[in-house]
Amino acid sequence: MAKEKPFVPPNEMPPRPIQPLLTGQKALVTGASKGIGEGVAVALAQAGADVLLNYFSDPEGAEKTAEKVRKAGRQALVVQADVAVEEEVQSMVARMIEAFGRIDILINNSGIQLNAPFDKMTLAQWQRVIDINLTGQFLCAREAVRVFKRQGIDKSISYAMGKIIHISSVHDIIPWAGHVNYAAAKGGIMLLMKSIAQELAPLRIRVNSISPGAIRTPMNLEKLTTPESYRDLLSLIPYKRLGEAEDVGRAAVWLASDDSDYVHGAVLYVDGGMVLYPEFASGG
Ligand code: BGC
């Protein structure tokens, strides 16, 4: 008997070019071995940036992303580091300076989920998610800001002294049962981002978040194996399609570029309207 083809949610977005808004810039992307990190790294490269690709546990994935960056004609440097460990973040940033001479853009992307019902959640599950998803963003942002301040502003590269983009989630405002460690970390990212933004605005260091909804990542594809599970997910997405990593990548290119120079301390939801309370579209 012929095996049935596994269900894969449709990709409705045609391939199309990315504008060269980041020519000559150097970007560091954490968690770049797959999913959103991969999509953002490749989009930044297509927009003209050389990219340091950080990974923690998937060297093959990181190497595949590196090939795509090189195919776009840009340099890729793959560096293993745990973003929750201060010394590892510091030596990763030192490698970036050695290889590329500077940092213009930090994409704080690394993130994990360790789900459990609230009363079953272990301290270790709580702590690891907070360490990677929140403390990791603090550590990488702090090191990037130290470099930005040493570099100063070079208007031939960018009007800003540096750009930090925190990759958060719609769960920075949507509570998520069974994922309280994850939602707490993402909620924390919002005020981490806004507080850094407030503090560093006078230096022209631009700090913003992108909060994606449901994106085609390995994590989500594991859950979307049947048309029914996809239909259930679409009931939460007014725009009625799964997001692509490239959707986030394109938003990151714009947010990292001088085209968004006056956008600061903002949360950009790239979520097909997921935060619009779709269950209220009829009723209430
Ligand atoms: C999670 C996804 C989820 C989405 C919307 C994201 O932060 O990583 O697994 O589909 O939020 O709930």
Side-chain angles (χ1 to χ4, degrees), residues 27 38 43 61 67 104 112 185-186:
E38 174 189 353
E67 275 160 34
D104 302 293
I112 57 165
K186 295 300 187 180

Side-chain angles (χ1 to χ4, degrees), residues 8-282:
V8 179
N11 180 345
E12 298 180 39
M13 300 311 290
R16 59 215 192 281
I18 288 189
Q19 298 309 310
L21 296 177
L22 304 175
T23 306
Q25 300 203 36
K26 315 291 177 193
L28 190 162
V29 181
T30 66
S33 58
K34 54 174 91 64
I36 290 174
E38 174 189 353
V40 170
V42 173
L44 296 180
Q46 290 172 344
D50 295 324
V51 194
L52 182 148
L53 304 162
N54 156 259
Y55 73 96
F56 176 58
S57 60
D58 179 6
E60 292 87 28
E63 207 35 62
K64 277 192 195 138
T65 310
E67 275 160 34
K68 292 183 186 171
V69 166
R70 291 181 192 121
K71 209 171 146 216
R74 307 312 320 170
Q75 291 186 62
L77 173 69
V78 174
V79 177
Q80 200 270 344
D82 183 339
V83 294
V85 178
E86 188 172 31
E87 305 76 52
E88 295 191 24
V89 171
Q90 286 170 336
S91 57
M92 171 171 71
V93 169
R95 297 261 323 263
M96 171 104 191
I97 302 304
E98 247 169 61
F100 295 147
R102 55 185 294 118
I103 306 181
D104 302 293
I105 300 160
L106 166 67
I107 308 288
N108 247 338
N109 168 71
S110 294
I112 57 165
Q113 286 185 17
L114 297 171
N115 312 326
F118 181 60
D119 55 336
K120 301 244 164 63
M121 186 172 284
T122 64
L123 179 58
Q125 286 173 320
W126 168 268
Q127 196 61 55
R128 187 66 180 147
V129 169
I130 297 294
D131 285 350
I132 303 274
N133 296 17
L134 185 57
T135 307
Q137 296 216 0
F138 157 71
L139 287 172
C140 293
R142 192 190 62 184
E143 291 315 307
V145 166
R146 288 174 175 170
V147 176
F148 294 157
K149 287 175 78 170
R150 282 202 301 273
Q151 287 173 182
I153 298 180
D154 178 346
K155 285 193 178 154
S156 70
I157 296 173
S158 173
Y159 295 137
M161 188 187 279
K163 283 91 47 161
I164 298 174
I165 298 176
H166 298 269
I167 304 296
S168 182
S169 165
V170 289
H171 297 296
D172 59 6
I173 53 162
I174 302 179
W176 207 11
H179 306 72
V180 299
N181 46 2
Y182 185 83
K186 295 300 187 180
I189 288 173
M190 179 166 337
L191 278 174
L192 169 70
M193 179 278 286
K194 291 192 182 190
S195 301
I196 306 175
Q198 190 190 59
E199 187 167 336
L200 299 178
L203 295 177
R204 300 270 167 97
I205 293 174
R206 247 174 4 93
V207 189
N208 293 285
S209 300
I210 294 178
S211 288
I215 306 295
R216 185 189 306 274
T217 61
M219 203 150 67
N220 277 341
L221 285 179
E222 267 174 37
K223 297 186 274 184
L224 294 172
T225 50
T226 61
E228 293 70 39
S229 56
Y230 185 49
R231 208 178 42 232
D232 287 351
L233 177 65
L234 289 189
S235 73
L236 301 176
I237 307 174
Y239 206 67
K240 301 296 172 211
R241 72 169 173 87
L242 189 63
E244 304 299 332
E246 192 183 312
D247 289 314
V248 183
R250 286 172 182 276
V253 165
W254 176 74
L255 206 46
S257 78
D258 286 349
D259 275 10
S260 61
D261 188 58
Y262 211 49
V263 180
H264 182 66
V267 181
L268 177 57
Y269 287 97
V270 178
D271 69 342
M274 205 173 215
V275 295
L276 299 175
Y277 298 94
E279 62 277 30
F280 278 77
S282 58

